[in-house]
Amino acid sequence: MMKRVSIVALLLSAFSYAQQPLNLGFEEVIHGTSQPLDWKVKTGNDENYKIRVDSDAKKGKNSLLIESKEGSQEYATVQYHIPNRYNGKKMVVTGFIKSKNVKGKAGIAYSLNRQDRMLTYSAMIDNAVSGTTEWTEYQLELDLHPKAEAIVLELALYGEGQVWYDDLKVFIDGKNIEELEPNALPRAVTDKEFDNSSNFKVNSLSPKEIDNLVALGKAWGKLKYSNLKIGNGEYNWDYELFRALPLIRDKNFDKKLKQWKESYGEESNSIPEYHYYVDFLKGSNAFLINEKTYEDSSYDDQGYRLLTLFRYWNAVEYFFAYKDLLKRDWDEVLKEFIPRFLFAKDEVAYKLEIKRMGVELEDSHAIFVDKTDALSGKLYGPNTVPIKVAFIDDKLVVTEVFDSLSKSSTIQIGDEIIEIDGRQLADVVEERIKNVVGSNRSYRLAILTYSILVTTKDNLPLVLKGKQGTFSENTSTVASTSINLADKPRYKSMQEFNGDIGYIHLEQLEKEDLDTIKSNFMSKKGIVIDLRGYPADLALNRTLVPYFLSHKEPFVKFTAPITSELGKFELNENVYVGSDNPNYFKGKAALLVNHRTMSHGEFMTMAFQVLPNVKTFGTQTAGADGNVVLLDLLKGVQVYFTGIGTFYPDGRQTQQVGIHIDEVVKPTIEDIRSGRDTSLERALEYLRE
């Protein structure tokens, strides 16, 4: 996932741009280095490429030099970001380039961006520099884009050689950008009143005050995404919430809330174009942008806690693709979580409530991320028993024993855990699964295995049932961070079974493997396509699936949010895979899936399922197919959820239920003991029938 550059940061940095020249001539360097100030290396091999200022300049004392080692075949680029606070129609970028022995190409490019998304782009494609050249001026131009938040200049060297850049200039409608007065910053950026505190504190809430907070939070969210002035950035909408919070204690709250809403202008039910807080790509999910994270705020500040809750709740209210599948009334969830957020006893408890909001979505994409790692080791402890486990028909079974397990332990693969620390397994499961995000119970149980044995203790009492009967063991523990519980691939990315069956594992498959598959597997009787894991190559639906098809086939359709009616999604046309191909693979195919088949893995499975002779084997998938929405909350906390709906062409649901499986294949405890892969075995039987 790409790192996003916030417009807030860009706009704030624009204060300095308005006061001093841009460093487009490379005259300013980072103190004590030869690196140009404000220019950032975007890509490149540090060992093969060097980027520095050089005294060979077209103008002034410095230029930028990008040089490579002899024989280098990679590339290096540097970027310069300028906040776009200017009006106009045409933008022109000029610059001088000199080169020496460039075996490849070099040149200038620039783009107009919104967040991390390129809106329009211009580059030296037909006139890229190569060989040895003296200082020459080049020019690029673009029409200004009304949604552009940043102008991004990029200088590059592809391949071997040396290239110098100097004296870049940016013009808007013929005027040098450094001579233009930038537009005023919006109040969404300049309003600083509550930077230190929300000034909101309550020791208790009456039922009426909770209802008032529900009404305020809903009204605040609807205005946030539908009001034209807010969409234009004319208010710091977070701080407008803090200004409104005292209303909840007013005896005439309903009247005051109505007046408050009306003070921002005419009410709307659509999303304004070029919105400050949300952006869209046609047919795709919403992009929630410019959400300040207030790194200096306190986790104890109750106003900021409400801001976090209202941000999350309203984002789900309007941009979660499967709100219709929620088992609980979403308004009731808001009402329940208001006191839970406000009165959480400390940072850990508060962040746990944020995570539990995601659990309510029953969405395997509803991931909670905390860059401060505050919950790590705090919920259940820092230690765990050094074994790996899996749920087999609700039985917790040992699947791997790590070397760090005490030599005196008698635990073996295939043993069933009945009690943990004196408690029945079912009780521990029900207590801990409430903190596990997931679209279905089988996925949540699979994720629970990572924490089911976590403890504060140095020894964890277990009761198990093995071949020798039921036994107890006070099992020694190790630091959870010392063992890796992630599933490891059992097979190579490509292999053959008895010469007539091919096998590919998409979690390991790389682009360069495709030619080998097409040449070596064309004559096979069948092929196993293992999707138990996230595909390494996200373009396989375009590059590999057509190899198996003679013509185009519809395989999926999506729902996506629309801007004309806030909170509504529309169903798009079928998406097709394949093309006319007389040399397609004519054998049978078997697909393998399980809980690790998630998101793009489920999407890829749907593409493979249109093959003419294909069957899907395994267990329920994660049930979270489609693009995700990312929402920044406070101080390093981020949450995700599914942002587009994904369906089979006939309308069958994939969310929560997972991908359609032709034959469910579940391992038994004896299969675990013997190390059998029953899904693969059944797939091989099918291919040889």
Side-chain angles (χ1 to χ4, degrees), residues 510-522:
E510 302 291 348
K511 293 178 182 178
E512 51 267 27
D513 297 326
L514 298 182
D515 290 339
T516 303
I517 294 171
K518 293 174 182 178
S519 60
N520 292 0
F521 289 179
M522 178 65 77

Side-chain angles (χ1 to χ4, degrees), residues 528-637:
V528 177
I529 303 170
D530 197 337
L531 295 114
R532 296 175 295 186
Y534 201 81
D537 182 355
L538 301 185
L540 291 175
N541 60 301
R542 298 191 302 273
T543 57
L544 180 59
V545 178
Y547 160 65
F548 296 92
L549 288 170
S550 62
H551 58 280
K552 288 201 309 182
E553 285 282 353
F555 76 101
V556 68
K557 62 175 55 176
F558 301 110
T559 60
I562 58 177
T563 59
S564 59
E565 191 170 356
L566 182 62
K568 296 296 183 181
F569 284 67
E570 66 178 0
L571 186 65
N572 296 320
E573 298 296 321
N574 286 334
V575 177
Y576 287 75
V577 65
S579 59
D580 292 338
N581 175 27
N583 298 316
Y584 69 98
F585 176 78
K586 299 175 178 64
K588 297 164 71 175
L591 312 179
L592 306 183
V593 298
N594 65 5
H595 69 276
R596 297 185 67 240
T597 309
M598 176 176 169
S599 192
H600 201 81
E602 293 176 295
F603 174 79
M604 200 69 68
T605 304
M606 296 172 74
F608 279 112
Q609 285 181 328
V610 303
L611 273 54
N613 299 299
V614 63
K615 289 187 74 172
T616 305
F617 302 89
T619 54
Q620 187 176 26
T621 63
D625 193 354
N627 297 353
V628 297
V629 174
L630 164 64
L631 174 64
D632 288 311
L633 294 177
L634 297 184
K635 299 179 70 168
V637 175

